[in-house]
Amino acid sequence: MAYCQWTTGSPLLGSHTAQQRVVVCVHGLTRNNRDFDFLAQTIVKASGNLSRSDPQVIWTVYSVDVVGRGKSDWLEDKTKYAYSTYTKDLAAFLEHVTTSHNVAKVDYIGTSMGGIIGMCLFFAGAGKYINTLTLNDIGALVPAVGLARMADYVGKDPRFQEFDIAEAYFRKIFQPFGPLTSEQWKHITMYSIVPEMATDKHKGIARTCSSSCPHNHPCT
């Protein structure tokens, strides 16, 4: 599982008493870990300011690429693009980071699919690794209109001749993301496009998504 990492720094030389605080961010269905760049930098900057009064506190933020997205591996068996797979992977990741940082729990931030994975972690018994659970763009009820909107672009394979054309496309389909700045839209576009290649990765994700019944529990 690929990930990005930010930290406020290292403990004082020779110190073995530094307190660790860890934040784990998980993205939405068709997105990737770079969606959290601005948030992670803000958390680390704000936490760094707080830590100046106590340099023994170290904050670390992780943003992960769920399998099949970003720089994480793709799955040969497309039916494995399911919440059971995502939950198992994230449970293993949380176990790894809590052990690495010598902390009992992390603060978890999940957007859309990432939020569902967070809830699934509790059903799977991995909630023991989570101190706080922050849900963004998701809840107990997922409106049908939102699922219908996603169906219009999930699994599609658009090609763009120019960056500006790609940006206009993402501004349109991700309009519900809210009033982002031009810098943020360019950032989303930059990390949403790849050099042209033959792959049906996203189509596999789309098939799994479209076959999910809204009355079935997403964690199964």
Side-chain angles (χ1 to χ4, degrees), residues 4 23 34 48 65 81 150 160 169 187 213:
C4 288
V23 181
R34 303 310 297 265
D65 277 332
Y81 286 122
M150 291 174 60
F160 309 104
Y169 172 80
H187 183 273
C213 172

Side-chain angles (χ1 to χ4, degrees), residues 180-201:
L180 304 183
T181 65
S182 293
E183 178 187 7
Q184 290 168 331
W185 279 118
K186 291 185 183 302
H187 183 273
I188 285 178
T189 303
M190 180 183 303
Y191 291 106
S192 297
I193 56 178
V194 294
E196 187 171 350
M197 62 176 63
T199 174
D200 66 345
K201 175 185 66 169

Side-chain angles (χ1 to χ4, degrees), residues 17-105:
T17 61
Q19 178 185 354
Q20 301 273 346
R21 290 293 301 272
V22 179
V23 181
V24 174
C25 305
V26 186
H27 59 78
L29 179 66
T30 64
R31 303 302 305 144
N32 60 74
N33 71 39
R34 303 310 297 265
D35 282 359
F36 292 101
D37 283 6
F38 291 95
L39 176 62
Q41 292 164 14
T42 299
I43 291 175
V44 168
K45 182 178 179 180
S47 302
N49 291 335
L50 291 174
S51 299
R52 288 173 184 171
S53 60
D54 183 1
Q56 298 300 297
V57 179
I58 302 174
W59 287 76
T60 303
V61 180
Y62 291 95
S63 62
V64 305
D65 277 332
V66 175
V67 65
R69 285 82 165 177
K71 294 185 178 180
S72 285
D73 292 336
W74 303 355
L75 298 176
E76 291 294 334
D77 182 356
K78 302 301 187 293
T79 65
K80 296 297 184 180
Y81 286 122
Y83 282 101
S84 55
T85 301
Y86 309 152
T87 302
K88 181 179 179 180
D89 288 349
L90 260 298
F93 184 79
L94 294 184
E95 180 180 13
H96 169 71
V97 297
T98 52
T99 301
S100 299
H101 292 273
N102 193 29
V103 297
K105 299 183 178 184

Side-chain angles (χ1 to χ4, degrees), residues 135-191:
L135 304 178
N136 173 48
D137 194 31
I138 196 63
L141 174 66
V142 181
V145 63
L147 294 175
R149 178 182 58 78
M150 291 174 60
D152 288 338
Y153 65 82
V154 174
K156 302 298 190 299
D157 190 20
R159 309 299 172 95
F160 309 104
Q161 297 299 319
E162 298 179 8
F163 185 91
D164 290 346
I165 296 176
E167 181 180 338
Y169 172 80
F170 291 116
R171 280 177 178 261
K172 179 180 179 180
I173 66 171
F174 295 141
Q175 186 275 333
F177 281 13
L180 304 183
T181 65
S182 293
E183 178 187 7
Q184 290 168 331
W185 279 118
K186 291 185 183 302
H187 183 273
I188 285 178
T189 303
M190 180 183 303
Y191 291 106

